[in-house]
Amino acid sequence: MLRFAILGCGRISYKHVEAAIASRDKLRLVAVCDIIRENAESHAEQYHTYLKNWEKPRAYTDYKLMLESEALDLIAVCTESGYHAEHALYCMNAGKHVIVEKPMALSTLDADEMIAASKDNHVKLCVCHQNRFNPSVRRLRSALEEGRFGRIIAGNARILWNRGREYYSQAPWRGTYRLDGGCLMNQCIHNIDLLQWMLGGNVKWLNADVDNFMHPYIKAEDYGSIQLRFQNGAIGNVEGTVCTYPKNLEETLTIIGEKGVVSIGGVALNRIVTWRFEDITEEEEKSLEESSVNVDSVYGSGHTPLYHDVIEAIIYDREPYITGEEGKKAMEIILAAYRSSREGNRVHFPPGHLSTLDFE
């Protein structure tokens, strides 16, 4: 039974509590930590309400004290994005396995240090890009690995969402370069991760333009457009915004190949919208609905299978499905997009050392 703690009890952390409950045969949540004690207590109660026969997780406001006081195996870092690297590094250097929420860091140097710390301390580092575990996404990935697309021509990621003043006022760190970034880094990074993963993962160059049209009370962008050329020749296109009136419109991922095209949509990329292949069968068409699932929010349902994978990675001493190296890729694309927009130039890869602080 792995002993588990959650560091940071904000907006996304309830999904980690749900995943811990679903993984209770191999994982026990023993501690939660947040600088606001009420938040930590609330998550402890959420867990204890479901598993009444288990001891209630202890609540902390100091994560270093939590690590000193508890015998922990695994920690989920769910704090503000700008603190992910600091908190994950402290935990890994203390010998703990880590699941870190996206983005793994806000600088490439921090990401590289996290990857090195994982190896040096012989602990697992998993970046929480949970949409890779969506049944629709996994089915798409299988079709790609089976070569059913033929040559991959292009991919498109569109995230047309709405976030207003109320959202940003709830947490003043949002929209800042020091602790967050803009819509690309916060809202769009999951889809950007999937796009680069499907198109080969090795970017040759990108060109981007970002701007702030409707949110003068934040520092970073509320709209971004990126064009990528991959080493295998495929072209990627990203359109992401939080300016969509008056509410979220869509999140879609489309992959175009010489022998097929697939588009995934839904609230959290949880539904197959288009599935066309040269070799498609009637039986396959009838089974497509099996890969579309209902979800309760834009966070989807991927946290639980991600936790199952990390638990197995720890038990069997293998790499998690989404390593630090994989988690760095989407973040690096977004940082390079910021540079491209700022300088008005195409950015070639590898782009070198980049940080959101470069764009304050």
Side-chain angles (χ1 to χ4, degrees):
M1 183 71 71
L2 298 176
R3 294 174 61 83
F4 170 60
I6 296 174
L7 170 53
C9 298
R11 185 181 176 97
I12 186 61
S13 54
Y14 83 96
K15 280 291 183 181
H16 293 262
V17 177
E18 289 181 354
I21 292 170
S23 306
R24 58 190 178 275
D25 60 329
K26 296 179 181 176
L27 184 77
R28 179 168 293 191
L29 179 62
V30 298
V32 289
C33 181
D34 195 277
I35 58 173
I36 301 173
R37 177 170 288 277
E38 292 79 5
N39 291 349
E41 292 283 4
S42 174
H43 282 56
E45 188 61 38
Q46 177 190 352
Y47 185 80
H48 188 57
T49 297
Y50 195 91
L51 300 174
K52 292 185 181 295
N53 293 330
W54 289 18
E55 184 179 355
K56 185 178 178 180
R58 285 167 289 283
Y60 292 84
T61 56
D62 183 334
Y63 76 98
K64 294 181 180 179
L65 177 61
M66 179 179 72
L67 265 70
E68 292 172 4
S69 305
E70 304 286 347
L72 298 170
D73 301 298
L74 173 65
I75 299 175
V77 175
C78 306
T79 49
E80 295 92 331
S81 300
Y83 296 128
H84 285 176
E86 175 187 342
H87 293 159
L89 283 167
Y90 191 92
C91 294
M92 288 189 288
N93 288 331
K96 314 305 179 185
H97 305 288
V98 166
I99 296 172
V100 60
E101 265 294 340
K102 61 76 184 171
M104 66 183 292
L106 294 181
S107 83
T108 53
L109 279 176
D110 283 345
D112 290 339
E113 189 175 352
M114 292 164 70
I115 293 166
S118 171
K119 298 183 189 307
D120 292 344
N121 293 291
H122 306 288
V123 294
K124 311 304 178 187
L125 171 63
C126 172
V127 182
C128 198
H129 283 300
Q130 73 275 3
N131 285 349
R132 288 198 187 193
F133 290 89
N134 292 357
S136 54
V137 172
R138 299 189 80 158
R139 188 160 188 166
L140 165 58
R141 182 68 184 181
S142 293
L144 188 148
E145 292 177 350
E146 291 164 6
R148 295 184 65 191
F149 284 93
R151 182 184 181 187
I152 300 295
I153 297 168
N156 298 283
R158 299 187 78 209
I159 309 93
L160 307 182
W161 285 1
N162 176 280
R163 296 291 184 273
R165 183 183 288 271
E166 181 181 1
Y167 169 82
Y168 290 101
S169 63
Q170 287 172 352
W173 60 271
R174 291 175 182 158
T176 67
Y177 283 116
R178 187 174 72 88
L179 293 178
D180 187 16
C183 64
L184 292 178
M185 191 68 82
N186 192 324
Q187 283 77 27
C188 305
I189 191 169
H190 284 304
N191 210 337
I192 293 171
D193 170 67
L194 294 178
L195 179 72
Q196 65 83 23
W197 187 43
M198 298 298 176
L199 296 188
N202 295 312
V203 179
K204 185 176 182 181
W205 56 258
L206 66 73
N207 190 66
D209 203 2
V210 307
D211 207 341
N212 186 319
F213 289 96
M214 295 177 60
H215 299 74
Y217 39 84
I218 68 170
K219 292 184 177 181
E221 82 284 352
D222 61 16
Y223 185 95
S225 175
I226 310 173
Q227 183 183 61
L228 306 107
R229 174 72 79 161
F230 287 81
Q231 292 288 353
N232 60 11
I235 292 174
N237 298 284
V238 177
E239 180 184 24
T241 187
V242 288
C243 295
T244 308
Y245 178 84
K247 59 184 180 179
N248 290 2
L249 177 62
E250 69 170 274
E251 180 177 13
T252 54
L253 174 69
T254 302
I255 303 299
I256 302 168
E258 61 178 337
K259 298 180 180 179
V261 58
V262 171
S263 183
I264 299 174
V267 173
L269 294 175
N270 56 298
R271 305 197 69 82
I272 294 174
V273 178
T274 301
W275 188 273
R276 302 174 187 166
F277 285 103
E278 184 180 73
D279 61 352
I280 194 168
T281 64
E282 184 176 341
E283 182 180 356
E284 182 182 15
E285 285 188 289
K286 291 179 179 178
S287 70
L288 291 177
E289 190 59 31
E290 297 172 4
S291 299
S292 296
V293 298
N294 295 321
V295 298
D296 63 357
S297 73
V298 295
Y299 302 132
S301 57
H303 282 84
T304 292
L306 181 144
Y307 267 69
H308 290 167
D309 172 72
V310 172
I311 291 166
E312 288 197 354
I314 294 170
I315 292 172
Y316 297 109
D317 193 22
R318 62 164 174 80
E319 286 294 293
Y321 195 52
I322 308 170
T323 61
E325 290 87 345
E326 282 297 297
K328 178 186 173 184
K329 291 179 179 179
M331 180 207 73
E332 187 174 49
I333 286 171
I334 295 164
L335 291 173
Y338 288 167
R339 173 183 282 180
S340 174
S341 183
R342 176 69 61 88
E343 298 177 353
N345 296 319
R346 178 179 290 180
V347 173
H348 291 265
F349 275 58
H353 302 322
L354 291 170
S355 167
T356 53
L357 295 179
D358 299 337
F359 308 102
E360 276 196 304

